[in-house]
Amino acid sequence: MKHVFALAVVILLSACGAATPIYFQGGVRWSAPMVAPLENGLVLVTATIAGQGPFLLLLDPRAKASGIDDAVAVALKLYSTPDTAQHVAENDTKQPMPTYEVPSLRAGDLTLNNFTMRGFRAGALTFGGQRIHAYLGGDMLSRTIVID
């Protein structure tokens, strides 16, 4: 009887670990037109967020988490969860980083649904002199991006 119980626990735990994230739409290859030339391994594309846009989206697989400009999140009326992380700013003060629920993001033929992004201070991120509205990090992207 103990062996049957142990086997049932192992099967249950392995099934939990194999769950696919709800934002995953299948496939490992997608394309989106680049807005700016490739610089320092970073790619800039346009995207729609929650059906609105276009917004400038930076693809940075080296970033630990994905983020969205606070002003964009507020304008889109994205739900802010009570989970607020702390970020240490340049002046050694702790700054709150809200978490926003994003219903959808489309860039080229990539579609992500129902995921979270950390908020960053409005206008804080620029790339090549352009304001970046959001970025996808290593939580959504493979650590390696191949440019064809």
Side-chain angles (χ1 to χ4, degrees), residues 73-93:
V74 169
L76 294 175
K77 298 180 179 152
L78 299 181
Y79 175 73
S80 177
T81 66
D83 173 31
T84 301
Q86 295 290 319
H87 162 72
V88 178
E90 298 86 24
N91 60 359
D92 291 331
T93 60

Side-chain angles (χ1 to χ4, degrees), residues 98-113:
T99 301
Y100 294 102
E101 291 184 1
V102 179
S104 66
L105 183 146
R106 293 184 64 104
D109 57 11
L110 171 70
T111 300
L112 299 173
N113 291 313

Side-chain angles (χ1 to χ4, degrees), residues 30 32-36 43-59 67-78 102-108 110 115 117 120 122-123 125 127 130-136:
W30 53 274
M34 293 189 332
V35 173
V43 178
L44 188 62
V45 300
T46 59
T48 59
I49 301 172
Q52 298 183 43
F55 297 105
L56 287 178
L57 177 72
L58 181 67
L59 306 179
I68 187 166
D69 187 296
D70 282 328
V72 171
V74 169
L76 294 175
K77 298 180 179 152
L78 299 181
V102 179
S104 66
L105 183 146
R106 293 184 64 104
L110 171 70
F115 65 100
M117 297 179 97
F120 58 86
L125 187 60
F127 181 75
Q130 298 183 69
R131 180 177 173 189
I132 303 300
H133 300 109
Y135 62 91
L136 290 182

